[in-house]
Amino acid sequence: MDIFGTILAPFKWLVSAIMVGFHDGLSTIGMSPANGWTWTLSIIGLVLVIRAALIPVFVKQIKAQRGMQLLQPDLKKMQDKYKGKTDQLSRQAMAQEQMALYKKHGTNPFSACLPMLIQMPFFFALFQVLSGISSAKVSGQGIGAMSAEQVKQFDESTIFGAPLSASLLHGSTAGGEVAVWILSIVMILAMTASQFITQKQIMAKNMSEEALASPFMRQQKMMLYILPVVFGVGGINFPIGVLIYWTTTNLWTMGQQFFVIRRMPTPGSPAAKALAERRAAKGLPALPLLGGKKVDAEAAEAAAAAAVEAKTQRVQPQRKNRKRK
């Protein structure tokens, strides 16, 4: 076994164990153990378990992203200060000031992508489990926590006529090539579209004007279009079961981001102003925004209250001056 396989071995066992647990539970309540939908729901259950476990990490990610956005003005000033200075002392001083800014705002670039990094071993482990189903069936072996019988059941299970272990690029030894093509293309489109929509709604509603104008944001805009293409091209090699996993986790992320944007928006963003207006219209005080400053919340509340008052204020009719006859 190579080093990569050795690292993934415990993740493969954990992934397969969670799937088997859901599969056994669904079989107990009456679903067929060999049915493709039983295994599909097991994969969806795997997503729910992993994403639920990552909620505390996701909260830290939000705080890190807010901190990164709030420090952008200070970061811009620091970059202008050292612009054109390439000597060793200047670079060292710039690095120290940058780390001090991260510490002051309680954030760092690594924290912003932590949930994705944590998920990747599980994703690769699931990919290896599902990709090795057919060969394990031929050799009569199990994979991870899956027994040889469960491996056989999974390999023979289908949804809409397409085997879960088949992929667009490699097809299936069990037939159903047309079904594999159609379902794979639909799942790839759903996977890439959900990822694009999630990132697009963040940029459109949950970023301040300062953050949108930063150099970091220009890179994010590029990634907005590059990542869906990368996953779309890579999706032709993903088994249908992996496509189900990734599409489900993208839908979870989309719903999670919708909740965050509506209830815990970034200070200074259009979503934050909309939240302040909604609460002011109901006569409620502004909520403290996660990762935001108190002054930002007070300013947003005052602006929203003024906007609501301007909209609802009754315009008094003016009397016309009449000339005396």
Side-chain angles (χ1 to χ4, degrees), residues 262-282:
R262 184 169 177 83
R263 301 296 300 273
M264 297 180 291
T266 300
S269 66
K273 296 175 183 176
L275 174 62
E277 288 179 1
R278 289 196 304 270
R279 294 187 63 82
K282 297 177 181 178

mmCIF file of all heavy atoms in Angstrom, residues 262-282:
data_model
loop_
_atom_site.group_PDB
_atom_site.id
_atom_site.type_symbol
_atom_site.label_atom_id
_atom_site.label_comp_id
_atom_site.label_asym_id
_atom_site.label_seq_id
_atom_site.Cartn_x
_atom_site.Cartn_y
_atom_site.Cartn_z
ATOM 1 N N ARG A 262 -28.840 35.470 5.468
ATOM 2 C CA ARG A 262 -30.083 36.097 5.918
ATOM 3 C C ARG A 262 -30.057 36.441 7.404
ATOM 4 O O ARG A 262 -30.569 37.493 7.801
ATOM 5 C CB ARG A 262 -31.267 35.169 5.640
ATOM 6 C CG ARG A 262 -32.610 35.791 5.990
ATOM 7 C CD ARG A 262 -33.765 34.969 5.473
ATOM 8 N NE ARG A 262 -35.038 35.542 5.879
ATOM 9 C CZ ARG A 262 -35.652 36.532 5.259
ATOM 10 N NH1 ARG A 262 -35.098 37.061 4.179
ATOM 11 N NH2 ARG A 262 -36.813 36.986 5.690
ATOM 12 N N ARG A 263 -29.457 35.594 8.228
ATOM 13 C CA ARG A 263 -29.519 35.786 9.683
ATOM 14 C C ARG A 263 -28.231 36.324 10.286
ATOM 15 O O ARG A 263 -28.265 36.979 11.325
ATOM 16 C CB ARG A 263 -29.872 34.453 10.353
ATOM 17 C CG ARG A 263 -31.189 33.852 9.895
ATOM 18 C CD ARG A 263 -32.379 34.727 10.259
ATOM 19 N NE ARG A 263 -32.480 34.926 11.687
ATOM 20 C CZ ARG A 263 -33.125 34.104 12.515
ATOM 21 N NH1 ARG A 263 -33.741 33.027 12.016
ATOM 22 N NH2 ARG A 263 -33.179 34.340 13.790
ATOM 23 N N MET A 264 -27.079 36.053 9.693
ATOM 24 C CA MET A 264 -25.794 36.496 10.245
ATOM 25 C C MET A 264 -24.913 37.070 9.140
ATOM 26 O O MET A 264 -23.837 36.568 8.850
ATOM 27 C CB MET A 264 -25.084 35.326 10.927
ATOM 28 C CG MET A 264 -25.824 34.741 12.115
ATOM 29 S SD MET A 264 -24.943 33.355 12.889
ATOM 30 C CE MET A 264 -25.090 32.111 11.589
ATOM 31 N N PRO A 265 -25.371 38.140 8.478
ATOM 32 C CA PRO A 265 -24.629 38.666 7.326
ATOM 33 C C PRO A 265 -23.339 39.377 7.712
ATOM 34 O O PRO A 265 -23.133 39.737 8.875
ATOM 35 C CB PRO A 265 -25.621 39.650 6.695
ATOM 36 C CG PRO A 265 -26.469 40.096 7.849
ATOM 37 C CD PRO A 265 -26.593 38.909 8.743
ATOM 38 N N THR A 266 -22.490 39.602 6.728
ATOM 39 C CA THR A 266 -21.240 40.322 6.940
ATOM 40 C C THR A 266 -21.524 41.802 7.159
ATOM 41 O O THR A 266 -22.321 42.390 6.425
ATOM 42 C CB THR A 266 -20.322 40.157 5.716
ATOM 43 O OG1 THR A 266 -20.043 38.772 5.530
ATOM 44 C CG2 THR A 266 -19.018 40.910 5.904
ATOM 45 N N PRO A 267 -20.891 42.431 8.162
ATOM 46 C CA PRO A 267 -21.100 43.869 8.390
ATOM 47 C C PRO A 267 -20.776 44.684 7.141
ATOM 48 O O PRO A 267 -19.753 44.478 6.490
ATOM 49 C CB PRO A 267 -20.114 44.184 9.522
ATOM 50 C CG PRO A 267 -19.905 42.885 10.217
ATOM 51 C CD PRO A 267 -20.003 41.833 9.169
ATOM 52 N N GLY A 268 -21.665 45.610 6.792
ATOM 53 C CA GLY A 268 -21.444 46.471 5.647
ATOM 54 C C GLY A 268 -21.906 45.906 4.324
ATOM 55 O O GLY A 268 -21.846 46.591 3.304
ATOM 56 N N SER A 269 -22.394 44.670 4.329
ATOM 57 C CA SER A 269 -22.844 44.031 3.093
ATOM 58 C C SER A 269 -24.302 44.381 2.816
ATOM 59 O O SER A 269 -25.029 44.817 3.712
ATOM 60 C CB SER A 269 -22.696 42.519 3.200
ATOM 61 O OG SER A 269 -23.572 41.999 4.178
ATOM 62 N N PRO A 270 -24.778 44.194 1.565
ATOM 63 C CA PRO A 270 -26.200 44.415 1.280
ATOM 64 C C PRO A 270 -27.114 43.566 2.159
ATOM 65 O O PRO A 270 -28.186 44.018 2.556
ATOM 66 C CB PRO A 270 -26.314 44.013 -0.201
ATOM 67 C CG PRO A 270 -24.959 44.260 -0.771
ATOM 68 C CD PRO A 270 -24.006 43.915 0.333
ATOM 69 N N ALA A 271 -26.694 42.329 2.470
ATOM 70 C CA ALA A 271 -27.509 41.465 3.315
ATOM 71 C C ALA A 271 -27.620 42.022 4.735
ATOM 72 O O ALA A 271 -28.672 41.910 5.377
ATOM 73 C CB ALA A 271 -26.922 40.054 3.349
ATOM 74 N N ALA A 272 -26.540 42.644 5.241
ATOM 75 C CA ALA A 272 -26.577 43.237 6.584
ATOM 76 C C ALA A 272 -27.531 44.425 6.621
ATOM 77 O O ALA A 272 -28.283 44.607 7.588
ATOM 78 C CB ALA A 272 -25.172 43.668 6.992
ATOM 79 N N LYS A 273 -27.513 45.243 5.572
ATOM 80 C CA LYS A 273 -28.428 46.383 5.515
ATOM 81 C C LYS A 273 -29.873 45.902 5.420
ATOM 82 O O LYS A 273 -30.773 46.489 6.042
ATOM 83 C CB LYS A 273 -28.066 47.261 4.326
ATOM 84 C CG LYS A 273 -26.677 47.897 4.444
ATOM 85 C CD LYS A 273 -26.315 48.664 3.188
ATOM 86 C CE LYS A 273 -24.887 49.227 3.289
ATOM 87 N NZ LYS A 273 -24.478 49.909 2.035
ATOM 88 N N ALA A 274 -30.090 44.839 4.636
ATOM 89 C CA ALA A 274 -31.449 44.303 4.504
ATOM 90 C C ALA A 274 -31.943 43.743 5.832
ATOM 91 O O ALA A 274 -33.111 43.927 6.200
ATOM 92 C CB ALA A 274 -31.475 43.220 3.431
ATOM 93 N N LEU A 275 -31.063 43.062 6.589
ATOM 94 C CA LEU A 275 -31.452 42.529 7.895
ATOM 95 C C LEU A 275 -31.784 43.660 8.860
ATOM 96 O O LEU A 275 -32.780 43.590 9.598
ATOM 97 C CB LEU A 275 -30.316 41.669 8.463
ATOM 98 C CG LEU A 275 -30.513 41.145 9.891
ATOM 99 C CD1 LEU A 275 -31.734 40.232 9.970
ATOM 100 C CD2 LEU A 275 -29.265 40.402 10.379
ATOM 101 N N ALA A 276 -30.962 44.712 8.860
ATOM 102 C CA ALA A 276 -31.212 45.841 9.749
ATOM 103 C C ALA A 276 -32.541 46.517 9.406
ATOM 104 O O ALA A 276 -33.294 46.934 10.303
ATOM 105 C CB ALA A 276 -30.064 46.842 9.657
ATOM 106 N N GLU A 277 -32.850 46.634 8.132
ATOM 107 C CA GLU A 277 -34.121 47.242 7.715
ATOM 108 C C GLU A 277 -35.312 46.396 8.141
ATOM 109 O O GLU A 277 -36.334 46.924 8.589
ATOM 110 C CB GLU A 277 -34.130 47.445 6.197
ATOM 111 C CG GLU A 277 -33.205 48.559 5.720
ATOM 112 C CD GLU A 277 -33.232 48.710 4.211
ATOM 113 O OE1 GLU A 277 -33.999 47.955 3.554
ATOM 114 O OE2 GLU A 277 -32.504 49.561 3.681
ATOM 115 N N ARG A 278 -35.174 45.068 8.006
ATOM 116 C CA ARG A 278 -36.277 44.183 8.412
ATOM 117 C C ARG A 278 -36.538 44.299 9.906
ATOM 118 O O ARG A 278 -37.692 44.356 10.348
ATOM 119 C CB ARG A 278 -35.959 42.723 8.051
ATOM 120 C CG ARG A 278 -35.989 42.422 6.565
ATOM 121 C CD ARG A 278 -36.063 40.929 6.307
ATOM 122 N NE ARG A 278 -34.983 40.190 6.925
ATOM 123 C CZ ARG A 278 -33.818 39.930 6.321
ATOM 124 N NH1 ARG A 278 -33.602 40.381 5.093
ATOM 125 N NH2 ARG A 278 -32.896 39.225 6.940
ATOM 126 N N ARG A 279 -35.467 44.333 10.713
ATOM 127 C CA ARG A 279 -35.641 44.414 12.160
ATOM 128 C C ARG A 279 -36.143 45.803 12.578
ATOM 129 O O ARG A 279 -36.946 45.921 13.502
ATOM 130 C CB ARG A 279 -34.323 44.077 12.867
ATOM 131 C CG ARG A 279 -33.898 42.634 12.670
ATOM 132 C CD ARG A 279 -32.681 42.294 13.535
ATOM 133 N NE ARG A 279 -32.975 42.398 14.951
ATOM 134 C CZ ARG A 279 -33.564 41.456 15.676
ATOM 135 N NH1 ARG A 279 -33.940 40.317 15.097
ATOM 136 N NH2 ARG A 279 -33.780 41.636 16.964
ATOM 137 N N ALA A 280 -35.663 46.844 11.890
ATOM 138 C CA ALA A 280 -36.131 48.187 12.223
ATOM 139 C C ALA A 280 -37.604 48.348 11.876
ATOM 140 O O ALA A 280 -38.353 49.017 12.601
ATOM 141 C CB ALA A 280 -35.293 49.225 11.474
ATOM 142 N N ALA A 281 -38.041 47.747 10.784
ATOM 143 C CA ALA A 281 -39.450 47.820 10.390
ATOM 144 C C ALA A 281 -40.353 47.140 11.415
ATOM 145 O O ALA A 281 -41.509 47.522 11.585
ATOM 146 C CB ALA A 281 -39.637 47.189 9.016
ATOM 147 N N LYS A 282 -39.810 46.131 12.104
ATOM 148 C CA LYS A 282 -40.566 45.424 13.137
ATOM 149 C C LYS A 282 -40.381 46.033 14.523
ATOM 150 O O LYS A 282 -40.923 45.533 15.510
ATOM 151 C CB LYS A 282 -40.149 43.947 13.181
ATOM 152 C CG LYS A 282 -40.452 43.185 11.892
ATOM 153 C CD LYS A 282 -39.949 41.755 11.993
ATOM 154 C CE LYS A 282 -40.215 40.986 10.704
ATOM 155 N NZ LYS A 282 -39.701 39.598 10.760
#
